[in-house]
Amino acid sequence: MSKVIVVTSGKGGVGKTTTSASFAAGLANRGHRTVVIDFDIGLRNLDLVMGCERRVVYDFVNVINDEATLKQALIRDKSDNNLHILPASQTRDKDAFTEEKVGKVIDELREDFDYIVCDSPAGIEKGALMALFYADEALIVTNPEISSVRDSDRILGMLSAKSQRAIQGEEPIKEHLVVTRYSPNRAESGEMLSLDDIQELLGIDLIGVIPESEAVLQASNSGVPVIRDEQSKSGQAYQDMVARFLGEDIPMRFLEAEKKGFLKRFFGA
Amino acid sequence: MGTSTKTAGETLDKQEKTAAVELKGAVFTLPVLKLHSTDLPAIEHELKVHLARGLNFFKHAPLVIDLEAIDEQQGRKLDFTAIVSALHRMQLFVVGVRNTNPEQAKRALAAGMAVLKGGIAQEDISSGKNTSAPPPATSKTLSAETTKVIHQPVRSGQQIYAKGCDLIVLSSVNVGAEVIADGNIHVYGSLRGRALAGVSENANARIFAQVMEPELVAIAGNYQVFDEPNASNLYGKAAQIHLDNNRLVIAPI
């Protein structure tokens, strides 16, 4: 049985697309047939982060409007045959979306894929609502700061009210918290919210903590999901997150503030 | 006349004061006296026993008489006027009667009682549980609901309204969320959003929270914001809020 997972946050710029790309790449890398859909019509980014922007011919809106088949629009990842991308349209607007039409595409994808990852746009408008409507599970991407947490709270409310599962009274969407751009040093000094604070405020289970890292920006710029950068802490943290999603019991890493060593202190690194 | 529910922002001050009267709807919880016999001396005797057992909160209480269990074919006809004055002697004031047949309704009206329709299933009064009945003298059927219970966190942007009843939240009310009730509000987690109790002018409503950290609280239109966490030394603690002379009072639980 295939699963639809929405990656959402309410707030923009917290790392939804980065998380969608790495999460989908991680699932595919473990042998699961995975497709990641960009719901951010008009502001598409996922293709850039996945490094396939020059191969976009048809997009999600073309498929919805029956101007292209799903097969024509899906882009296969360069290095992983299990991973496909359904890009957003840069020129259309989100009025193209209706529950019925999106549902038809999702149903078609369910036949071919184990996991359907929906990269939600920011906000609580139609695009975001469409991205979460058919979800079975949700990754709530949150930065350790108060406005991000409040927006996540808002989107959690929408998951429990506006999703298909909520409307039809089915088992509620399974919600997972992903804290991104986490800096243990700054949390310790009180500049950032701590993990405990965030969990207390949102009341959902933590599935991953991605440390703040330059590797994320570099990976995005070079069009490779950061999860493939096995040297970076962020990449390793995403690997852990995917493993936990698939049911493995792995302790959280990179939560402790780094103690500056003698040499680092000496050279002020 | 129907019921109207006032919104949070409204206060008494804003209402028209020039008119001699004003008709408004409100929801009340009334004790219901269910009769199982038409035998007046027996009724009187049993009630006296009940009152002597310390059910003093019924003193001066408005009361609704329930005739559901009465079969006048079997017993004698009820003398409504006599019952009303008998109860009056015990300082109980009958405001209405319910579960009447048309003939009983006619006699009740003649005895100066209102005939009520609706109302939820009643608990045994002597068990101490609240009973409820719709407000008297309305022509439309009004049914009081049972308590509204919310198991999930109430999240930013969500609004929960417990119409005509109490609201119990078994989780937290987060910042940016709003919980509203015509009755009391109980929060068995943190209250961080807005809580408006007794919104249809019920000044006796209270707000209870395990962790009192609200943005705003209001009872019967009297509101207070908590822009400073140290506005009260009970901020962040288990506390209750009630209304005393149009002033909100926060007290420990």
Side-chain angles (χ1 to χ4, degrees), chain A residues 150 153-154 156-157 160-161 175 200-204, chain B residues 153-158 172 174-176 190 192 215:
Chain A
R150 184 182 294 189
D153 193 49
R154 183 88 166 92
L156 281 164
S160 62
E175 300 148 343
E200 223 275 299
L201 288 164
L202 292 178
I204 60 172
Chain B
V154 186
R155 299 193 181 278
S156 179
Q158 290 181 325
S172 290
N174 288 351
V175 172
S190 302
R192 302 195 191 97
E215 292 175 297

Tab-separated table of all heavy atoms in Angstrom, chain A residues 150 153-154 156-157 160-161 175 200-204, chain B residues 153-158 172 174-176 190 192 215:
chain	number	residue	atom	x	y	z
A	150	ARG	N	4.683	28.683	15.803
A	150	ARG	CA	3.263	29.043	15.772
A	150	ARG	C	2.636	28.693	14.418
A	150	ARG	O	1.510	28.201	14.339
A	150	ARG	CB	3.064	30.526	16.051
A	150	ARG	CG	1.581	30.856	16.111
A	150	ARG	CD	1.302	32.285	16.320
A	150	ARG	NE	1.753	32.729	17.632
A	150	ARG	CZ	1.448	33.928	18.117
A	150	ARG	NH1	0.721	34.756	17.430
A	150	ARG	NH2	1.888	34.287	19.297
A	153	ASP	N	1.981	25.109	14.279
A	153	ASP	CA	0.783	24.808	15.063
A	153	ASP	C	-0.468	25.033	14.209
A	153	ASP	O	-1.402	24.234	14.212
A	153	ASP	CB	0.766	25.709	16.297
A	153	ASP	CG	-0.259	25.262	17.318
A	153	ASP	OD1	-0.271	24.056	17.634
A	153	ASP	OD2	-1.034	26.091	17.787
A	154	ARG	N	-0.439	26.137	13.460
A	154	ARG	CA	-1.572	26.469	12.589
A	154	ARG	C	-1.786	25.375	11.549
A	154	ARG	O	-2.918	24.954	11.300
A	154	ARG	CB	-1.271	27.809	11.902
A	154	ARG	CG	-2.379	28.321	11.029
A	154	ARG	CD	-3.345	29.155	11.848
A	154	ARG	NE	-4.248	29.925	11.008
A	154	ARG	CZ	-5.437	29.508	10.609
A	154	ARG	NH1	-5.864	28.322	10.944
A	154	ARG	NH2	-6.211	30.280	9.874
A	156	LEU	N	-0.812	22.296	11.686
A	156	LEU	CA	-1.264	21.065	12.345
A	156	LEU	C	-2.778	21.097	12.538
A	156	LEU	O	-3.463	20.082	12.391
A	156	LEU	CB	-0.561	20.889	13.702
A	156	LEU	CG	0.864	20.341	13.637
A	156	LEU	CD1	1.595	20.575	14.951
A	156	LEU	CD2	0.842	18.852	13.325
A	157	GLY	N	-3.276	22.280	12.864
A	157	GLY	CA	-4.724	22.445	12.994
A	157	GLY	C	-5.430	22.160	11.675
A	157	GLY	O	-6.508	21.569	11.640
A	160	SER	N	-5.696	18.503	10.886
A	160	SER	CA	-6.735	17.796	11.623
A	160	SER	C	-8.132	18.293	11.290
A	160	SER	O	-9.107	17.823	11.849
A	160	SER	CB	-6.470	17.894	13.127
A	160	SER	OG	-6.503	19.242	13.522
A	161	ALA	N	-8.227	19.271	10.394
A	161	ALA	CA	-9.562	19.770	10.039
A	161	ALA	C	-9.854	19.717	8.547
A	161	ALA	O	-10.974	19.443	8.133
A	161	ALA	CB	-9.727	21.197	10.548
A	175	GLU	N	1.484	12.558	12.390
A	175	GLU	CA	2.294	13.777	12.292
A	175	GLU	C	3.676	13.567	12.901
A	175	GLU	O	3.793	13.028	13.999
A	175	GLU	CB	1.587	14.920	13.040
A	175	GLU	CG	0.221	15.228	12.490
A	175	GLU	CD	-0.775	15.716	13.536
A	175	GLU	OE1	-0.523	15.524	14.750
A	175	GLU	OE2	-1.802	16.259	13.134
A	200	GLU	N	7.001	20.657	23.504
A	200	GLU	CA	5.972	21.022	24.482
A	200	GLU	C	4.890	21.853	23.806
A	200	GLU	O	3.698	21.655	24.025
A	200	GLU	CB	6.645	21.838	25.604
A	200	GLU	CG	6.197	21.464	27.006
A	200	GLU	CD	4.932	22.200	27.388
A	200	GLU	OE1	4.941	23.450	27.437
A	200	GLU	OE2	3.926	21.511	27.635
A	201	LEU	N	5.331	22.782	22.948
A	201	LEU	CA	4.375	23.690	22.304
A	201	LEU	C	3.534	22.971	21.254
A	201	LEU	O	2.353	23.257	21.104
A	201	LEU	CB	5.119	24.863	21.656
A	201	LEU	CG	5.713	25.891	22.632
A	201	LEU	CD1	6.734	26.769	21.951
A	201	LEU	CD2	4.602	26.745	23.238
A	202	LEU	N	4.133	22.049	20.524
A	202	LEU	CA	3.406	21.437	19.409
A	202	LEU	C	2.769	20.100	19.773
A	202	LEU	O	1.781	19.696	19.170
A	202	LEU	CB	4.340	21.255	18.208
A	202	LEU	CG	4.811	22.547	17.542
A	202	LEU	CD1	5.752	22.250	16.398
A	202	LEU	CD2	3.623	23.354	17.037
A	203	GLY	N	3.352	19.407	20.744
A	203	GLY	CA	2.749	18.164	21.205
A	203	GLY	C	2.732	17.047	20.179
A	203	GLY	O	1.796	16.262	20.149
A	204	ILE	N	3.748	16.981	19.303
A	204	ILE	CA	3.854	15.830	18.393
A	204	ILE	C	5.253	15.225	18.503
A	204	ILE	O	6.174	15.860	19.016
A	204	ILE	CB	3.527	16.182	16.922
A	204	ILE	CG1	4.471	17.255	16.386
A	204	ILE	CG2	2.087	16.633	16.779
A	204	ILE	CD1	4.308	17.500	14.896
B	153	PRO	N	-5.132	18.846	21.038
B	153	PRO	CA	-4.753	20.234	21.297
B	153	PRO	C	-5.587	21.173	20.421
B	153	PRO	O	-5.905	20.819	19.285
B	153	PRO	CB	-3.279	20.295	20.880
B	153	PRO	CG	-2.822	18.904	20.698
B	153	PRO	CD	-4.032	18.047	20.486
B	154	VAL	N	-5.951	22.333	20.962
B	154	VAL	CA	-6.618	23.339	20.146
B	154	VAL	C	-5.504	24.224	19.599
B	154	VAL	O	-4.779	24.858	20.369
B	154	VAL	CB	-7.631	24.164	20.962
B	154	VAL	CG1	-8.402	25.099	20.042
B	154	VAL	CG2	-8.588	23.246	21.697
B	155	ARG	N	-5.352	24.246	18.284
B	155	ARG	CA	-4.177	24.859	17.683
B	155	ARG	C	-4.459	26.254	17.169
B	155	ARG	O	-5.614	26.638	16.997
B	155	ARG	CB	-3.665	23.952	16.566
B	155	ARG	CG	-3.255	22.580	17.097
B	155	ARG	CD	-2.463	21.809	16.090
B	155	ARG	NE	-2.074	20.500	16.566
B	155	ARG	CZ	-1.026	20.257	17.341
B	155	ARG	NH1	-0.266	21.251	17.751
B	155	ARG	NH2	-0.734	19.024	17.715
B	156	SER	N	-3.361	26.965	16.909
B	156	SER	CA	-3.429	28.329	16.396
B	156	SER	C	-4.414	28.406	15.231
B	156	SER	O	-4.333	27.604	14.307
B	156	SER	CB	-2.029	28.733	15.936
B	156	SER	OG	-2.058	30.028	15.418
B	157	GLY	N	-5.320	29.367	15.295
B	157	GLY	CA	-6.273	29.536	14.198
B	157	GLY	C	-7.550	28.753	14.379
B	157	GLY	O	-8.513	28.975	13.670
B	158	GLN	N	-7.573	27.820	15.323
B	158	GLN	CA	-8.790	27.052	15.541
B	158	GLN	C	-9.661	27.751	16.578
B	158	GLN	O	-9.154	28.402	17.487
B	158	GLN	CB	-8.460	25.637	16.027
B	158	GLN	CG	-7.825	24.777	14.953
B	158	GLN	CD	-7.539	23.377	15.441
B	158	GLN	OE1	-7.204	23.177	16.596
B	158	GLN	NE2	-7.648	22.414	14.545
B	172	SER	N	-3.920	20.991	25.421
B	172	SER	CA	-3.600	22.410	25.567
B	172	SER	C	-4.364	23.264	24.568
B	172	SER	O	-4.785	22.799	23.522
B	172	SER	CB	-2.102	22.622	25.365
B	172	SER	OG	-1.397	22.088	26.455
B	174	ASN	N	-3.398	26.290	22.406
B	174	ASN	CA	-2.155	26.944	22.017
B	174	ASN	C	-2.341	28.415	21.689
B	174	ASN	O	-3.464	28.880	21.474
B	174	ASN	CB	-1.545	26.203	20.822
B	174	ASN	CG	-0.962	24.856	21.223
B	174	ASN	OD1	-0.869	24.549	22.405
B	174	ASN	ND2	-0.584	24.060	20.249
B	175	VAL	N	-1.226	29.120	21.611
B	175	VAL	CA	-1.245	30.531	21.251
B	175	VAL	C	-1.948	30.703	19.907
B	175	VAL	O	-1.701	29.942	18.982
B	175	VAL	CB	0.204	31.054	21.170
B	175	VAL	CG1	0.233	32.466	20.598
B	175	VAL	CG2	0.850	31.022	22.539
B	176	GLY	N	-2.845	31.672	19.832
B	176	GLY	CA	-3.549	31.910	18.575
B	176	GLY	C	-4.822	31.094	18.435
B	176	GLY	O	-5.542	31.240	17.461
B	190	SER	N	-2.096	23.328	29.110
B	190	SER	CA	-1.768	24.748	29.214
B	190	SER	C	-2.804	25.563	28.442
B	190	SER	O	-3.148	25.231	27.326
B	190	SER	CB	-0.387	25.012	28.618
B	190	SER	OG	0.569	24.223	29.278
B	192	ARG	N	-2.886	28.739	26.619
B	192	ARG	CA	-1.982	29.781	26.109
B	192	ARG	C	-2.693	30.714	25.137
B	192	ARG	O	-2.171	31.739	24.768
B	192	ARG	CB	-0.797	29.144	25.371
B	192	ARG	CG	0.019	28.188	26.213
B	192	ARG	CD	1.348	27.891	25.562
B	192	ARG	NE	1.999	26.791	26.241
B	192	ARG	CZ	1.951	25.529	25.838
B	192	ARG	NH1	1.297	25.218	24.742
B	192	ARG	NH2	2.564	24.591	26.508
B	215	GLU	N	-3.530	34.412	26.518
B	215	GLU	CA	-3.347	35.709	25.870
B	215	GLU	C	-4.440	36.646	26.371
B	215	GLU	O	-4.220	37.818	26.603
B	215	GLU	CB	-3.505	35.577	24.353
B	215	GLU	CG	-2.420	34.797	23.670
B	215	GLU	CD	-2.744	34.635	22.187
B	215	GLU	OE1	-3.741	34.016	21.838
B	215	GLU	OE2	-1.956	35.148	21.385
